[in-house]
Amino acid sequence: NNKQQTIGESFQHAGEGMIDAVSKGVNALASAVGAKTEETKQEANASLERHNRDSEFQKAKNADNVSDMASHLMNAASSGTDALTSDAKAEKESLKADYQKENAKDSLSSDQSLSEMVSEKVEAATNYFTGDNNPDTQEAHEELKEKAKEEAKDDSNDASTRASAAVDAGEEAALEVANMLE
């Protein structure tokens, strides 16, 4: 019973790693949507500022005196600057949205599905428990488990690599436990 509980905990850790990878993909997708919303907001601000600029230019043309003309031209210049600033912010948000969208794609897709990866890991653990695998030492599996956990936590890896590493960590944890119980 204790053996089953320990093995179950090992597989639970692998599942948690996969859930974490999928969660990060969903978060990246949500960030992409947020960035697109901010891009749209900045584009609207830029359009409004261009409209204000054009309006101030028209007021400057129709001004009765030089003072009013200068005031309207200054307002037009300010609105033009604000429009350029909003355009730049919109472009930044567009790039951010594209980056987040790619992160979401990486997190949510891979060369093989999560269920295929889990099936492979379950098969490998089953092979070990049935003697179809060359047993290793508990320490070796512990070391491989820790290495895989670090790879799964490494933000510089793509989501597919991180998910696979999380599954590897679960497999190594199960093999480590199996060696403890021998």
Side-chain angles (χ1 to χ4, degrees):
N1 188 23
N2 189 25
K3 179 179 178 181
Q4 288 176 337
Q5 181 180 3
T6 308
I7 293 169
E9 288 170 0
S10 296
F11 282 103
Q12 180 181 354
H13 291 296
E16 288 169 355
M18 287 185 295
I19 289 170
D20 185 50
V22 171
S23 174
K24 287 183 182 196
V26 171
N27 287 340
L29 189 58
S31 293
V33 170
K36 271 299 189 190
T37 301
E38 186 62 25
E39 175 189 3
T40 303
K41 177 181 155 190
Q42 292 301 329
E43 287 172 346
N45 285 343
S47 180
L48 177 64
E49 291 299 335
R50 279 192 287 283
H51 174 73
N52 288 343
R53 177 200 61 202
D54 294 345
S55 175
E56 289 296 328
F57 274 134
Q58 192 61 40
K59 289 177 185 176
K61 284 182 186 178
N62 298 332
D64 293 332
N65 58 51
V66 174
S67 176
D68 285 346
M69 183 188 311
S71 175
H72 290 298
L73 287 174
M74 286 177 22
N75 289 343
S78 176
S79 291
T81 301
D82 290 345
L84 289 174
T85 301
S86 291
D87 283 337
K89 287 179 180 177
E91 181 61 24
K92 177 188 133 209
E93 293 299 329
S94 175
L95 292 172
K96 182 178 173 183
D98 290 345
Y99 174 77
Q100 293 294 351
K101 188 169 73 171
E102 287 304 312
N103 274 351
K105 283 181 187 176
D106 288 346
S107 295
L108 296 174
S109 66
S110 66
D111 292 333
Q112 60 182 175
S113 71
L114 290 176
S115 63
E116 288 172 335
M117 284 191 292
V118 170
S119 294
E120 287 176 9
K121 301 310 176 187
V122 167
E123 181 180 343
T126 302
N127 288 344
Y128 177 80
F129 289 121
T130 60
D132 293 340
N133 194 4
N134 294 326
D136 226 341
T137 64
Q138 174 186 346
E139 293 78 18
H141 288 295
E142 181 178 9
E143 184 179 318
L144 290 170
K145 174 188 76 175
E146 292 304 318
K147 192 184 269 186
K149 281 171 56 177
E150 290 305 313
E151 187 176 354
K153 291 178 187 177
D154 186 355
D155 289 335
S156 67
N157 289 333
D158 66 16
S160 175
T161 301
R162 293 175 71 190
S164 181
V167 172
D168 288 345
E171 176 185 358
E172 291 303 328
L175 295 173
E176 175 188 3
V177 169
N179 273 291
M180 279 192 286
L181 300 173
E182 286 184 343

